[in-house]
Amino acid sequence: MTPTLRLAWARPAREWVEATPLGNGRIGAMAFGGAQARFQVNDATVWSGHPDGPADALDDLIAGGAGPARLAEIRAAIDAEDLRRAEALLMGFQGPYSQEFLPFVDLVVDTRGAATAPGRAARVLDLDEAHLSEALHVDGVAVTRRSYVSAPAGCLLVEYTADSPVLDVDLRLSTPLRQAGRDTSTTGLILDAVAPVDGAPAHEPSVVPAHRYLDGAGFDHFATAALAVRSDGTHGSAGDTLQIRGASRLLIALSTSSRAALWWADPDGGGWRTSSREEIREHARSTAAAALRRTADELFAEHLADVRDHASGARFAIGSRRGGTWDTDTDVLRGDDEGLRATVLAEYGRYLLAAASRTGGPAANLQGIWNDELRPPWSSNYTININTQMNYWPAPVAGLDHAAEPLTELVRRMARTGSEVAARLYGARGWVAHHNSDLWGWSLPVGMGHGGPSWAMWMMGGVWLTHNLWDRYEFTGDRDLLAHTVWPLMRGAALFCLDWLVDDPATGGLRTIPSTSPENLYVGPAGRPEAIGVSTTTDLALIRALFERSRTAIAVLGADDPIDAELAAALDRLPRLAAGPDGRLREWSTDAADVDPHHRHLSPLVALYPLDLIDPARTPDLADAARRFLDRRGPGAMGWSWAWKVALRARLGDADHARELLLEAFTPFDRDHRRLAPVDGSEWGGLLPNLFSTHPPFQIDGNYGFTAAIAEMLVQSHGGRLRLLPALPAAWPEGQVTGLRARGGREVDLAWSGGVLERAAVRDRTGLAQRITVEHDGQMYELDLPPHGEVILPGA
């Protein structure tokens, strides 16, 4: 059997950023390990807020005067170059903030007299089989502890095995939320909690109280954690502690249930309002109890089968080593095997997305499904001007089909709330979403009337997300998915853009106004930093790609859709992407100077990656302009920005630049990182001890982006061509990848040695005959790919 890829830590975690992440798409657990093992547990549906929050906030904005009439005033002020007035009026469109993803419970498993086995790693995480192993000893007796979050069982499972009955274990549950009930028995624990109906982000310290709970009538956000145990020892309890004594076998099952989970499963079903606390509690209790009716071996075998079915089939092996146990500090963070380090980085992102996102549950947020702070950074929400999109970049290319569905469902929720926002706030058809969203599908601008327009006032968040959905279609070739899911959401976003575009009296074309380039500023006419302008490159690229892809969807589906004529007419009038006087891709509609030339955001380059409006083969001049833009931005940054830069360099074929950025990204985030100069005023990021990527602080998009970027160095499939090893660094002379996906519903295996491709196999997954164009090392091949068949690249 091929050895699996495992990560090891030499000692138990002392803090959260050293703990090991486990998850099944709904329950996330950070395992600290050791004798007094802490499992910090999240439920992906435990957020602040409630389903009616977005509609209530929109009503308040309209009552305050926001709407199409004020939008006309804003546009007039921009045309008059009165940017102060335009900005002041635009602030009136800002609602409250989206809601927060919250920590749920802590499980402490205290194994009396235990210590890590001498000469053994304290914790070993198997990335291929998704479980954590620990070797302990009690009075010289060997003890193993295996922990994993099972999707079939719906539980966090902790299994102990000892050579003799030496296990004395105390179990306790606690919550940082408002406790609503507790029950302790000799066979289990139940802890009830209530989440706040409103939570203010940490960057709004003036909001007091930071969390507002529902007092009195209403349907609060109730949640339960239920723990059940089975052992061959004796069971007792003392206070809030469940006690196991004299056991050699112990199995612990922890399940969670929440009122919001009922709403997520069926937002129209009324379960949020009709379900009682007892029903929610019973669901958690019965799920944990049901798990314990199975043997530990049955549960683990079921978990492994599920991981094989639902996790990605893609595997990376850059260099000569993959399988085995690798120390995260000595082999990965500070190791000298570059291929192994790249392999781990790619595989870790694959593992984390499979663990955080799964059909039936919410999408992965800024921290995946792992958060231990009541006021997490940026609310641990969905930031949709790059971060949520990056979370899902690896899904199509790594074949994480089950992980992709929650993002589609999140976009569907945003479209529901965003259709009313589009109509009432902007007088537009379709739907719109801005900078942030949350579990409840938030689509309004945020900022409370004082959020910086550079980030708060951007109307293209939903448009960008539709491109993630289009990628899902293109990589699978699933026309049913396109017809029933992707196209309806794209169509709504396209309708909004058709109405958002207005005539440009200076050129006779179309423009977006007001327009921003996410989080960046330019030097305005008065010499001061400005955010608001007209027709930024980011807006134009996202809209052009949406319109082109929408017309393709209509053609693929053979639809007779009146929107097609509107799209064609608008495309003829959209400004083209262009370079400025310095040869760089233009970010703004004028030749404005950057306030900070090294800004971490690379928004105009969305046209290059993940879109394909710019391509070195088809648009060489624009590709050169994009390269100059990237050169000016410079190296160094934080996790997600590094990942984007690697992917952009890969798309340009700049293999050595991509590699240099990856080596930078391996910077361990410790005290030494502070010697590095800030980038656009932001502290450098790096990798935390548990290999989480940090901005800082921790946000998981970098981990996901690195997987997508490394895949982009090895296989590309945009522009109608399948490109093999398009950005392979000379320092990666050998390796292999299997199961990478390509557009058109194809799957690719590659092996190379001495920097030369040795074998390439392309398989069809659509069941349709295909004629494919394959490019490698300057050579082009036209190949016939039979339905469900395979072709081997000639000469490879």
Side-chain angles (χ1 to χ4, degrees), residues 178 196 198-201 204-213 215 375:
R178 178 178 286 183
D198 188 48
E204 286 287 350
S206 63
V207 179
V208 179
H211 294 107
R212 182 171 59 84
Y213 285 86
D215 293 313
R375 300 189 77 183

Side-chain angles (χ1 to χ4, degrees), residues 304-329:
L304 292 182
D306 177 76
V307 168
R308 285 191 292 270
D309 287 343
H310 289 79
S312 166
R315 293 294 183 270
F316 297 81
I318 300 165
S320 59
R321 300 192 293 175
R322 181 191 184 276
T325 303
W326 310 109
D327 185 274
T328 54
D329 187 62

Side-chain angles (χ1 to χ4, degrees), residues 455-519:
W455 53 267
M457 300 310 304
W458 191 59
M459 294 73 178
M460 296 290 117
V463 176
W464 193 342
L465 284 168
T466 64
H467 292 298
N468 285 77
L469 306 191
W470 177 257
D471 280 344
R472 187 181 173 201
Y473 156 67
E474 279 210 308
F475 276 84
T476 62
D478 186 340
R479 293 193 183 191
D480 286 340
L481 175 71
L482 177 64
H484 301 298
T485 302
V486 175
W487 169 235
L489 292 169
M490 288 177 63
R491 190 179 191 280
L495 283 170
F496 172 77
C497 290
L498 285 168
D499 289 353
W500 182 248
L501 289 162
V502 294
D503 292 335
D504 185 344
T507 66
L510 295 172
R511 59 180 180 162
T512 61
I513 178 173
S515 180
T516 59
S517 190
E519 310 208 28

